[in-house]
Amino acid sequence: MKIALGADHGAYELKEAIAKHLEEKGIEYTDFGCFSKESVDYPKFAYLAATAVSKGECDYGIICCTTGLGVSMAANKVKGVRAAVCTNNHLAEMTRRHNNANVICMGQGQVTQESAFEMVDIFLSTEFEGGRHQRRVDLLTDIENGKEL
Ligand code: RB5
């Protein structure tokens, strides 16, 4: 399993901590930046990490900003990406089980590092349920492809 990591300056520290957490668990990742606390624009880093997922170069993305909101908006504009902002373990589990999310977004200002590590672990280990949820995820793809529902 390979992870695409990305963050803006507002979540630089959280990204660094998550990178260390992944290393401790022996999970491979590519860090798409940013690489300091200097102010940057979140869409670029969300785009880089989300695109790696979209292209199949990474299996999942973990993308963070201060709130988690801006990066999720940017990531969801990349084809094939289903990004979900998560603030607790239940959301991290359900967005895998029901939405087949392939990117988790978190806000450094919203969650503790410990809580983020737990959400990452749950997100990466929970399977998509398929069944009726596959039909709904397929409808998301239809929207993405400009189909009328
Ligand atoms: C940066 O100040 C902040 O706007 C960004 O980290 C993010 O929260 C945007 O949604």
Side-chain angles (χ1 to χ4, degrees), residues 8 40-48 70-71 74-75:
D8 73 351
V40 292
D41 297 326
Y42 63 81
K44 178 180 172 183
F45 300 93
Y47 166 80
L48 292 173
V71 287

Side-chain angles (χ1 to χ4, degrees), residues 49-71:
T51 297
V53 175
S54 171
K55 286 182 175 171
E57 294 164 5
C58 293
D59 302 291
Y60 297 106
I62 303 172
I63 313 180
C64 304
C65 60
T66 309
T67 58
L69 298 173
V71 287

Side-chain angles (χ1 to χ4, degrees), residues 60-100:
Y60 297 106
I62 303 172
I63 313 180
C64 304
C65 60
T66 309
T67 58
L69 298 173
V71 287
S72 74
M73 291 181 189
N76 274 318
K77 293 197 180 297
V78 176
K79 208 169 173 61
V81 168
R82 290 175 301 279
V85 183
C86 292
T87 52
N88 62 51
N89 292 352
H90 182 64
L91 296 181
E93 180 185 340
M94 294 310 289
T95 201
R96 284 288 310 128
R97 283 174 55 182
H98 286 191
N99 314 128
N100 200 14

Side-chain angles (χ1 to χ4, degrees), residues 9 15 91 103 144-145:
H9 57 286
K15 172 181 69 71
L91 296 181
V103 171
E144 185 176 75
N145 290 331

